[in-house]
mmCIF file of all heavy atoms in Angstrom:
data_model
loop_
_atom_site.group_PDB
_atom_site.id
_atom_site.type_symbol
_atom_site.label_atom_id
_atom_site.label_comp_id
_atom_site.label_asym_id
_atom_site.label_seq_id
_atom_site.Cartn_x
_atom_site.Cartn_y
_atom_site.Cartn_z
ATOM 1 N N GLY A 411 36.900 23.405 36.193
ATOM 2 C CA GLY A 411 38.123 22.627 36.323
ATOM 3 C C GLY A 411 38.049 21.596 37.425
ATOM 4 O O GLY A 411 38.376 20.417 37.222
ATOM 5 N N VAL A 412 37.616 21.997 38.614
ATOM 6 C CA VAL A 412 37.565 21.063 39.735
ATOM 7 C C VAL A 412 36.499 19.992 39.495
ATOM 8 O O VAL A 412 36.692 18.819 39.846
ATOM 9 C CB VAL A 412 37.336 21.810 41.064
ATOM 10 C CG1 VAL A 412 35.957 22.440 41.140
ATOM 11 C CG2 VAL A 412 37.578 20.881 42.244
ATOM 12 N N ASN A 413 35.377 20.356 38.863
ATOM 13 C CA ASN A 413 34.357 19.354 38.555
ATOM 14 C C ASN A 413 34.856 18.353 37.517
ATOM 15 O O ASN A 413 34.544 17.154 37.597
ATOM 16 C CB ASN A 413 33.081 20.034 38.056
ATOM 17 C CG ASN A 413 32.248 20.604 39.187
ATOM 18 O OD1 ASN A 413 32.443 20.277 40.355
ATOM 19 N ND2 ASN A 413 31.326 21.490 38.855
ATOM 20 N N PHE A 414 35.633 18.830 36.549
ATOM 21 C CA PHE A 414 36.196 17.921 35.550
ATOM 22 C C PHE A 414 37.172 16.956 36.210
ATOM 23 O O PHE A 414 37.217 15.771 35.880
ATOM 24 C CB PHE A 414 36.889 18.732 34.452
ATOM 25 C CG PHE A 414 37.384 17.897 33.307
ATOM 26 C CD1 PHE A 414 36.503 17.279 32.448
ATOM 27 C CD2 PHE A 414 38.743 17.734 33.089
ATOM 28 C CE1 PHE A 414 36.959 16.504 31.382
ATOM 29 C CE2 PHE A 414 39.219 16.965 32.035
ATOM 30 C CZ PHE A 414 38.314 16.350 31.187
ATOM 31 N N TRP A 415 37.955 17.450 37.175
ATOM 32 C CA TRP A 415 38.896 16.576 37.879
ATOM 33 C C TRP A 415 38.147 15.543 38.721
ATOM 34 O O TRP A 415 38.506 14.362 38.732
ATOM 35 C CB TRP A 415 39.813 17.408 38.775
ATOM 36 C CG TRP A 415 40.814 16.559 39.506
ATOM 37 C CD1 TRP A 415 42.019 16.126 39.051
ATOM 38 C CD2 TRP A 415 40.664 16.019 40.831
ATOM 39 N NE1 TRP A 415 42.645 15.353 40.001
ATOM 40 C CE2 TRP A 415 41.825 15.260 41.107
ATOM 41 C CE3 TRP A 415 39.679 16.095 41.798
ATOM 42 C CZ2 TRP A 415 42.020 14.596 42.313
ATOM 43 C CZ3 TRP A 415 39.853 15.428 43.000
ATOM 44 C CH2 TRP A 415 41.023 14.691 43.250
ATOM 45 N N ILE A 416 37.091 15.977 39.426
ATOM 46 C CA ILE A 416 36.325 15.046 40.256
ATOM 47 C C ILE A 416 35.785 13.890 39.417
ATOM 48 O O ILE A 416 35.767 12.738 39.864
ATOM 49 C CB ILE A 416 35.178 15.789 40.967
ATOM 50 C CG1 ILE A 416 35.738 16.725 42.048
ATOM 51 C CG2 ILE A 416 34.179 14.816 41.586
ATOM 52 C CD1 ILE A 416 34.702 17.643 42.664
ATOM 53 N N GLY A 417 35.397 14.171 38.191
ATOM 54 C CA GLY A 417 34.811 13.133 37.349
ATOM 55 C C GLY A 417 35.792 12.317 36.547
ATOM 56 O O GLY A 417 35.405 11.279 35.981
ATOM 57 N N ASN A 418 37.088 12.723 36.491
ATOM 58 C CA ASN A 418 37.986 12.063 35.550
ATOM 59 C C ASN A 418 39.385 11.753 36.083
ATOM 60 O O ASN A 418 40.229 11.274 35.324
ATOM 61 C CB ASN A 418 38.137 12.936 34.291
ATOM 62 C CG ASN A 418 36.843 13.079 33.526
ATOM 63 O OD1 ASN A 418 36.441 12.202 32.783
ATOM 64 N ND2 ASN A 418 36.175 14.210 33.716
ATOM 65 N N HIS A 419 39.660 12.003 37.365
ATOM 66 C CA HIS A 419 41.002 11.727 37.859
ATOM 67 C C HIS A 419 41.229 10.221 37.999
ATOM 68 O O HIS A 419 40.316 9.407 37.809
ATOM 69 C CB HIS A 419 41.245 12.457 39.181
ATOM 70 C CG HIS A 419 40.411 11.969 40.324
ATOM 71 N ND1 HIS A 419 40.817 10.988 41.183
ATOM 72 C CD2 HIS A 419 39.173 12.338 40.746
ATOM 73 C CE1 HIS A 419 39.887 10.759 42.088
ATOM 74 N NE2 HIS A 419 38.875 11.571 41.852
ATOM 75 N N SER A 420 42.429 9.837 38.359
ATOM 76 C CA SER A 420 42.823 8.425 38.308
ATOM 77 C C SER A 420 42.021 7.533 39.244
ATOM 78 O O SER A 420 41.924 6.324 39.013
ATOM 79 C CB SER A 420 44.315 8.294 38.638
ATOM 80 O OG SER A 420 44.591 8.829 39.924
ATOM 81 N N ALA A 421 41.439 8.090 40.296
ATOM 82 C CA ALA A 421 40.651 7.288 41.236
ATOM 83 C C ALA A 421 39.162 7.607 41.154
ATOM 84 O O ALA A 421 38.391 7.232 42.047
ATOM 85 C CB ALA A 421 41.149 7.512 42.668
ATOM 86 N N ALA A 422 38.729 8.297 40.099
ATOM 87 C CA ALA A 422 37.327 8.694 39.976
ATOM 88 C C ALA A 422 36.438 7.467 39.801
ATOM 89 O O ALA A 422 36.834 6.465 39.188
ATOM 90 C CB ALA A 422 37.150 9.643 38.795
ATOM 91 N N SER A 423 35.215 7.570 40.313
ATOM 92 C CA SER A 423 34.273 6.452 40.243
ATOM 93 C C SER A 423 33.084 6.739 39.336
ATOM 94 O O SER A 423 32.234 5.876 39.147
ATOM 95 C CB SER A 423 33.757 6.124 41.646
ATOM 96 O OG SER A 423 33.048 7.238 42.188
ATOM 97 N N GLY A 424 33.010 7.959 38.795
ATOM 98 C CA GLY A 424 31.879 8.329 37.949
ATOM 99 C C GLY A 424 30.804 9.096 38.680
ATOM 100 O O GLY A 424 29.922 9.675 38.051
ATOM 101 N N VAL A 425 30.847 9.088 40.020
ATOM 102 C CA VAL A 425 29.906 9.865 40.822
ATOM 103 C C VAL A 425 30.704 10.902 41.611
ATOM 104 O O VAL A 425 31.927 10.926 41.585
ATOM 105 C CB VAL A 425 29.081 8.968 41.760
ATOM 106 C CG1 VAL A 425 28.265 7.981 40.947
ATOM 107 C CG2 VAL A 425 29.977 8.225 42.743
ATOM 108 N N PHE A 426 29.985 11.759 42.331
ATOM 109 C CA PHE A 426 30.641 12.874 43.009
ATOM 110 C C PHE A 426 31.350 12.401 44.269
ATOM 111 O O PHE A 426 30.749 11.782 45.146
ATOM 112 C CB PHE A 426 29.603 13.942 43.374
ATOM 113 C CG PHE A 426 30.197 15.175 43.995
ATOM 114 C CD1 PHE A 426 30.729 16.168 43.203
ATOM 115 C CD2 PHE A 426 30.223 15.334 45.369
ATOM 116 C CE1 PHE A 426 31.268 17.314 43.766
ATOM 117 C CE2 PHE A 426 30.763 16.470 45.951
ATOM 118 C CZ PHE A 426 31.292 17.462 45.139
ATOM 119 N N ARG A 427 32.638 12.690 44.358
ATOM 120 C CA ARG A 427 33.425 12.449 45.552
ATOM 121 C C ARG A 427 34.328 13.661 45.761
ATOM 122 O O ARG A 427 35.082 14.040 44.858
ATOM 123 C CB ARG A 427 34.286 11.191 45.419
ATOM 124 C CG ARG A 427 33.510 9.898 45.339
ATOM 125 C CD ARG A 427 32.911 9.508 46.680
ATOM 126 N NE ARG A 427 32.266 8.199 46.624
ATOM 127 C CZ ARG A 427 31.000 7.996 46.267
ATOM 128 N NH1 ARG A 427 30.257 9.035 45.929
ATOM 129 N NH2 ARG A 427 30.485 6.790 46.243
ATOM 130 N N LEU A 428 34.263 14.271 46.948
ATOM 131 C CA LEU A 428 35.069 15.457 47.222
ATOM 132 C C LEU A 428 36.558 15.115 47.240
ATOM 133 O O LEU A 428 36.944 14.042 47.723
ATOM 134 C CB LEU A 428 34.680 16.066 48.560
ATOM 135 C CG LEU A 428 33.413 16.929 48.580
ATOM 136 C CD1 LEU A 428 33.084 17.319 50.009
ATOM 137 C CD2 LEU A 428 33.570 18.156 47.724
ATOM 138 N N PRO A 429 37.408 16.008 46.734
ATOM 139 C CA PRO A 429 38.850 15.794 46.863
ATOM 140 C C PRO A 429 39.279 15.781 48.327
ATOM 141 O O PRO A 429 38.601 16.328 49.199
ATOM 142 C CB PRO A 429 39.460 17.006 46.134
ATOM 143 C CG PRO A 429 38.360 17.564 45.305
ATOM 144 C CD PRO A 429 37.089 17.236 46.007
ATOM 145 N N GLU A 430 40.395 15.161 48.602
ATOM 146 C CA GLU A 430 40.927 15.134 49.956
ATOM 147 C C GLU A 430 41.257 16.558 50.413
ATOM 148 O O GLU A 430 41.769 17.374 49.641
ATOM 149 C CB GLU A 430 42.181 14.259 49.988
ATOM 150 C CG GLU A 430 42.734 14.029 51.386
ATOM 151 C CD GLU A 430 43.968 13.148 51.372
ATOM 152 O OE1 GLU A 430 44.349 12.693 50.274
ATOM 153 O OE2 GLU A 430 44.547 12.934 52.449
ATOM 154 N N ASP A 431 40.968 16.843 51.665
ATOM 155 C CA ASP A 431 41.249 18.143 52.294
ATOM 156 C C ASP A 431 40.499 19.286 51.608
ATOM 157 O O ASP A 431 40.955 20.428 51.589
ATOM 158 C CB ASP A 431 42.758 18.455 52.270
ATOM 159 C CG ASP A 431 43.582 17.324 52.829
ATOM 160 O OD1 ASP A 431 43.069 16.618 53.709
ATOM 161 O OD2 ASP A 431 44.722 17.138 52.371
ATOM 162 N N TYR A 432 39.351 18.989 51.049
ATOM 163 C CA TYR A 432 38.562 19.992 50.335
ATOM 164 C C TYR A 432 37.545 20.588 51.298
ATOM 165 O O TYR A 432 36.741 19.871 51.887
ATOM 166 C CB TYR A 432 37.857 19.313 49.153
ATOM 167 C CG TYR A 432 37.079 20.220 48.231
ATOM 168 C CD1 TYR A 432 37.670 20.746 47.091
ATOM 169 C CD2 TYR A 432 35.744 20.515 48.473
ATOM 170 C CE1 TYR A 432 36.946 21.550 46.221
ATOM 171 C CE2 TYR A 432 35.019 21.315 47.616
ATOM 172 C CZ TYR A 432 35.628 21.823 46.493
ATOM 173 O OH TYR A 432 34.912 22.622 45.636
ATOM 174 N N ASP A 433 37.572 21.895 51.486
ATOM 175 C CA ASP A 433 36.676 22.592 52.412
ATOM 176 C C ASP A 433 35.679 23.408 51.595
ATOM 177 O O ASP A 433 35.936 24.555 51.231
ATOM 178 C CB ASP A 433 37.485 23.493 53.341
ATOM 179 C CG ASP A 433 36.621 24.138 54.425
ATOM 180 O OD1 ASP A 433 35.393 24.009 54.358
ATOM 181 O OD2 ASP A 433 37.198 24.767 55.331
ATOM 182 N N PHE A 434 34.524 22.795 51.314
ATOM 183 C CA PHE A 434 33.558 23.459 50.447
ATOM 184 C C PHE A 434 33.039 24.748 51.067
ATOM 185 O O PHE A 434 32.825 25.738 50.368
ATOM 186 C CB PHE A 434 32.384 22.515 50.156
ATOM 187 C CG PHE A 434 31.315 23.140 49.295
ATOM 188 C CD1 PHE A 434 31.421 23.108 47.923
ATOM 189 C CD2 PHE A 434 30.213 23.778 49.856
ATOM 190 C CE1 PHE A 434 30.455 23.697 47.127
ATOM 191 C CE2 PHE A 434 29.243 24.369 49.071
ATOM 192 C CZ PHE A 434 29.370 24.317 47.701
ATOM 193 N N ALA A 435 32.835 24.749 52.381
ATOM 194 C CA ALA A 435 32.221 25.910 53.030
ATOM 195 C C ALA A 435 33.050 27.169 52.853
ATOM 196 O O ALA A 435 32.510 28.269 52.715
ATOM 197 C CB ALA A 435 32.007 25.619 54.510
ATOM 198 N N HIS A 436 34.388 27.043 52.868
ATOM 199 C CA HIS A 436 35.248 28.223 52.794
ATOM 200 C C HIS A 436 35.992 28.358 51.464
ATOM 201 O O HIS A 436 36.562 29.409 51.181
ATOM 202 C CB HIS A 436 36.277 28.184 53.927
ATOM 203 C CG HIS A 436 35.668 28.187 55.286
ATOM 204 N ND1 HIS A 436 35.395 27.033 55.980
ATOM 205 C CD2 HIS A 436 35.252 29.212 56.089
ATOM 206 C CE1 HIS A 436 34.853 27.335 57.145
ATOM 207 N NE2 HIS A 436 34.747 28.642 57.242
ATOM 208 N N ASP A 437 35.988 27.284 50.660
ATOM 209 C CA ASP A 437 36.767 27.307 49.419
ATOM 210 C C ASP A 437 36.103 26.394 48.389
ATOM 211 O O ASP A 437 36.598 25.296 48.109
ATOM 212 C CB ASP A 437 38.200 26.851 49.712
ATOM 213 C CG ASP A 437 39.105 26.939 48.492
ATOM 214 O OD1 ASP A 437 38.801 27.731 47.584
ATOM 215 O OD2 ASP A 437 40.107 26.204 48.448
ATOM 216 N N PRO A 438 34.980 26.813 47.798
ATOM 217 C CA PRO A 438 34.223 25.918 46.914
ATOM 218 C C PRO A 438 34.994 25.429 45.695
ATOM 219 O O PRO A 438 34.646 24.388 45.131
ATOM 220 C CB PRO A 438 33.029 26.794 46.483
ATOM 221 C CG PRO A 438 32.925 27.846 47.521
ATOM 222 C CD PRO A 438 34.311 28.102 47.987
ATOM 223 N N LEU A 439 36.018 26.146 45.271
ATOM 224 C CA LEU A 439 36.752 25.758 44.063
ATOM 225 C C LEU A 439 38.052 25.016 44.349
ATOM 226 O O LEU A 439 38.770 24.655 43.425
ATOM 227 C CB LEU A 439 37.070 27.003 43.217
ATOM 228 C CG LEU A 439 35.881 27.834 42.752
ATOM 229 C CD1 LEU A 439 36.340 28.927 41.810
ATOM 230 C CD2 LEU A 439 34.844 26.963 42.065
ATOM 231 N N GLY A 440 38.370 24.786 45.614
ATOM 232 C CA GLY A 440 39.641 24.139 45.928
ATOM 233 C C GLY A 440 40.839 25.008 45.570
ATOM 234 O O GLY A 440 41.928 24.503 45.291
ATOM 235 N N LYS A 441 40.664 26.321 45.613
ATOM 236 C CA LYS A 441 41.746 27.242 45.256
ATOM 237 C C LYS A 441 42.918 27.133 46.226
ATOM 238 O O LYS A 441 44.092 27.193 45.819
ATOM 239 C CB LYS A 441 41.197 28.670 45.232
ATOM 240 C CG LYS A 441 42.169 29.756 44.793
ATOM 241 C CD LYS A 441 41.413 31.058 44.586
ATOM 242 C CE LYS A 441 42.342 32.213 44.256
ATOM 243 N NZ LYS A 441 43.019 32.735 45.456
ATOM 244 N N LEU A 442 42.610 26.949 47.503
ATOM 245 C CA LEU A 442 43.686 26.836 48.493
ATOM 246 C C LEU A 442 44.495 25.557 48.299
ATOM 247 O O LEU A 442 45.698 25.532 48.556
ATOM 248 C CB LEU A 442 43.115 26.890 49.906
ATOM 249 C CG LEU A 442 42.567 28.258 50.335
ATOM 250 C CD1 LEU A 442 41.895 28.156 51.683
ATOM 251 C CD2 LEU A 442 43.681 29.289 50.373
ATOM 252 N N ASN A 443 43.846 24.495 47.849
ATOM 253 C CA ASN A 443 44.581 23.267 47.536
ATOM 254 C C ASN A 443 45.628 23.527 46.464
ATOM 255 O O ASN A 443 46.758 23.034 46.527
ATOM 256 C CB ASN A 443 43.619 22.179 47.060
ATOM 257 C CG ASN A 443 42.609 21.776 48.112
ATOM 258 O OD1 ASN A 443 41.832 22.601 48.565
ATOM 259 N ND2 ASN A 443 42.606 20.512 48.497
#
Side-chain angles (χ1 to χ4, degrees):
V412 67
N413 281 345
F414 186 69
W415 181 85
I416 290 172
N418 295 280
H419 67 91
S420 59
S423 62
V425 299
F426 184 83
R427 293 287 185 272
L428 280 173
E430 187 180 358
D431 308 330
Y432 185 93
D433 186 352
F434 178 86
H436 299 93
D437 184 24
L439 301 186
K441 184 170 175 282
L442 290 174
N443 297 60

